């Protein structure tokens, strides 16, 4: 059985006051039963990690970062390493988010190296993959998602799975209000699981694959009800406590 996860990617949003209010409101809405069946993660910006981690420490919520540098330490001005994230209390780190691929030069290869660096330092990577609108229209969605996964397999020999997670985030559905239909999302999740079977049967069976892209309380239950969708990576709606709680509730089996 794969335990569902709902993860909030705050992106570049929030401050300490907002984080304090949000975490306490989410915590109030998380019953013991809900928190037992669904793993809940928040991924604030770097500068809020430590304070948010302290707020989460007596709640069931776990802490993740949105990115990391591949080096351990040294002359890399402005970067943050895996050991620093661990030191702040992070257990998870998102790698290869499409915004980093499109805006900050994270190539397939670099995403693979980041995945390896995170795992070697004891963080659990959440590896994002997904096609653009243009790629979907050209009919190359499967090639793009497979290529992105292959780069991670080749840098890590695949041995980060099934501990690491995959997040399928179609770029055209992120922040646009357009969501992949349940059938569109399930099709790609099944493809990802099939690719994971190249690594091992265990990787295919046990790796959690999250869906991300305009997940809202209204569409969460239908998406999470698909056989290969094991929860969600939530952007905008994770900044609203009630929406986030409703989405977490939708992941409870
Ligand atoms: P939205 O939920 O705002 O579409 O963002 C999805 C996302 O990019 C999560 O990483």
């Amino acid at each position: 059985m794969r335990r569902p996860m709902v993860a909030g990617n705050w992106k570049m949003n929030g401050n300490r006051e907002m984080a304090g209010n949000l975490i306490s409101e989410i915590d109030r809405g998380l019953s013991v039963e809900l928190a037992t069946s669904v793993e809940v993660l928040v991924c604030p910006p770097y500068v809020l990690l430590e304070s948010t981690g302290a707020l989460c420490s007596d709640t069931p919520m776990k802490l993740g970062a949105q990115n990391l540098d591949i080096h351990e330490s040294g002359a890399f001005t402005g970067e943050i390493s895996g050991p620093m994230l661990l030191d702040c209390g992070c257990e998870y780190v998102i790698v290869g988010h499409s915004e980093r691929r499109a805006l900050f030069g994270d190539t397939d290869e670099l995403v693979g190296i980041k995945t390896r660096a995170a795992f070697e330092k004891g963080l659990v990577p959440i590896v994002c993959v997904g096609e653009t609108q243009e790629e979907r229209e050209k009919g190359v969605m499967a090639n793009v998602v497979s290529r992105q996964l292959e780069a991670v397999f080749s840098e890590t020999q695949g041995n980060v799975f099934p501990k690491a997670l995959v997040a399928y985030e179609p770029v055209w559905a992120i922040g646009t209000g357009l969501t992949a239909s349940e059938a569109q999302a399930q099709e790609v999740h099944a493809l990802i699981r099939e690719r994971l079977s190249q690594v091992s049967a265990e990787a295919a069976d046990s790796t959690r694959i999250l869906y991300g892209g305009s997940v809202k309380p209204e569409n969460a239950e239908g998406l999470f009800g698909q056989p290969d969708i094991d929860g969600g990576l939530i952007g905008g709606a994770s900044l609203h406590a009630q929406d986030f709680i409703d989405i977490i509730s939708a992941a409870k089996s």
Side-chain angles (χ1 to χ4, degrees):
M1 263 302 274
R2 298 184 296 265
R3 183 180 176 212
M5 173 187 276
V6 173
N9 175 8
W10 294 6
K11 308 192 179 182
M12 197 174 73
N13 292 294
N15 55 32
R16 281 181 293 173
E17 187 187 356
M18 166 274 195
N21 293 334
L22 186 58
I23 295 300
S24 61
E25 276 181 60
I26 298 168
D27 188 40
R28 274 200 296 277
L30 273 182
S31 64
V32 174
E33 197 198 354
L34 185 54
T36 308
S37 61
V38 183
E39 186 171 14
V40 180
L41 179 70
V42 290
C43 303
Y46 286 142
V47 292
L48 296 176
L49 282 174
E50 197 154 6
S51 57
T52 308
L55 294 165
C56 290
S57 63
D58 47 7
T59 79
M61 281 173 267
K62 295 181 177 167
L63 190 69
Q66 300 173 16
N67 181 38
L68 82 164
D69 187 75
I70 58 175
H71 304 93
E72 189 160 343
S73 61
F76 302 101
T77 301
E79 293 301 304
I80 304 285
S81 70
M84 291 171 177
L85 298 178
L86 274 181
D87 191 42
C88 280
C90 288
E91 288 179 57
Y92 291 87
V93 61
I94 299 169
V95 290
H97 191 280
S98 66
E99 287 150 18
R100 296 220 51 94
R101 291 178 189 262
L103 304 171
F104 302 103
D106 284 18
T107 60
D108 292 341
E109 187 193 6
L110 185 57
V111 172
I113 298 170
K114 285 188 175 189
T115 304
R116 188 180 69 217
F119 195 74
E120 281 175 352
K121 297 300 169 214
L123 292 158
V124 178
I126 301 175
V127 182
C128 299
V129 298
E131 81 288 359
T132 62
Q133 174 81 49
E134 195 188 345
E135 289 162 340
R136 178 162 278 263
E137 279 164 9
K138 277 196 200 143
V140 295
M141 172 274 286
N143 312 37
V144 171
V145 170
S146 302
R147 189 198 70 218
Q148 292 170 335
L149 284 173
E150 291 294 340
V152 173
F153 296 165
S154 89
E155 291 297 337
T156 64
Q157 277 73 56
N159 62 16
V160 297
F161 300 106
K163 196 156 187 218
L165 291 86
V166 177
Y168 170 56
E169 298 207 311
V171 179
W172 48 273
I174 296 178
T176 57
L178 294 173
T179 320
S181 69
E182 293 160 18
Q184 282 173 324
Q186 167 56 27
E187 181 195 4
V188 186
H189 280 238
L191 171 94
I192 293 168
R193 209 170 286 294
E194 193 271 316
R195 294 292 181 271
L196 283 165
S197 68
Q198 291 170 17
V199 172
S200 66
E202 198 203 355
D205 286 346
S206 306
T207 300
R208 291 178 291 177
I209 308 175
L210 311 181
Y211 171 79
S214 298
V215 178
K216 305 278 177 253
E218 304 77 60
N219 58 25
E221 200 172 330
L223 287 161
F224 299 164
Q226 300 303 305
D228 290 301
I229 301 185
D230 306 309
L233 181 55
I234 320 299
S238 74
L239 301 170
H240 302 279
Q242 193 56 54
D243 286 355
F244 196 53
I245 293 162
D246 291 345
I247 293 169
I248 296 164
S249 306
K252 186 171 171 291
S253 44

